[in-house]
Amino acid sequence: MEQSSGPAPLMAEPRRIPTGRSPHRTPIALNVGYMSGATGTSPRDLRLTGSGWAIAARVWCRSRTAPPVVLVPGFVVSGAYAVPTAVRLADTFRVYVPDLPGFGRSRLPRRALPVTELADCLRAWLRAAGAEGGGLLANSFGCQVAADLAARYPGAVRALVLTSPTVDPAMRSAAGLLRPWLSEARTQSWPLRRILARDFLRAGPRRSMRLFRHALADSIEDRLPRVTVPTLVVRGTADPFVSPQWAARVADLAGGRLVELDGGLHAMVHESPDAVAEAVLPFLTGHLGNEGTGCTGDTGRRS
């Protein structure tokens, strides 16, 4: 739970941060390591294997002594869509963006894992990559994985950020998610749509449907009270999947704080990276610190 010595306690009204964009504005270029506001260094490609899993990740490292922050992607999508937020955090932290096991470039296993098994694989990967004891910044379905990991392995995480957390129990069915999905799809930028289309084709309909069933079977609200690390919840006011009531409940159950991004969409880590960075940097630096400068060698153990 949030300690009194950390950032400000839960507020009655969430802090609002403008995104500075309309829902149809095209964001910055994708899949490159040098972008406006980035460190000027390209990400390294880190591929690690473990018992039954193989995870590919993008890594931005300016210093081995900088605290690690891991971005956990959402449903079926690879970490490519989180690159805009990653480069905005890379001046301060060692930033890792893995593809969850079975999706994106992480081809193993070939079956869709349930949330608890994804969390187990991610925890093993954190240890292998040298990224334990830092921050997790998750988006959408990735929040379910990150919350499970933080609840069962509190020593592996020092700070947790849940952006656009799913699944609201009021929408926990295929029919309940159809309307917000259609609403969100109409506002997505074309670069994001290209990433989503590529990753869904790569995963295939069978694996995607199995993961969807796992997502619906998972009740994040049951494990949030067992999360003991400082937690920040970030909601976009234009997110059709995350109501103000659900976001407030997530923050309350985790004993954390809530911040809202004015005009923010569900995939905010891609569509509103500047606003996301503004919202999370004070929280992450407050709990993780800010050490080291200058580039060093590779991190983790390469397979």
Side-chain angles (χ1 to χ4, degrees), residues 283-297:
F283 174 81
L284 290 173
T285 55
H287 290 289
L288 303 179
N290 177 14
E291 306 174 48
T293 57
C295 296
T296 63

Side-chain angles (χ1 to χ4, degrees), residues 67-70 126 131-136 155-160 229 284 287-288:
V69 170
V70 177
L126 289 174
E132 268 192 312
L136 291 183
V157 186
R158 287 166 54 198
L160 179 64
V229 299
L284 290 173
H287 290 289
L288 303 179

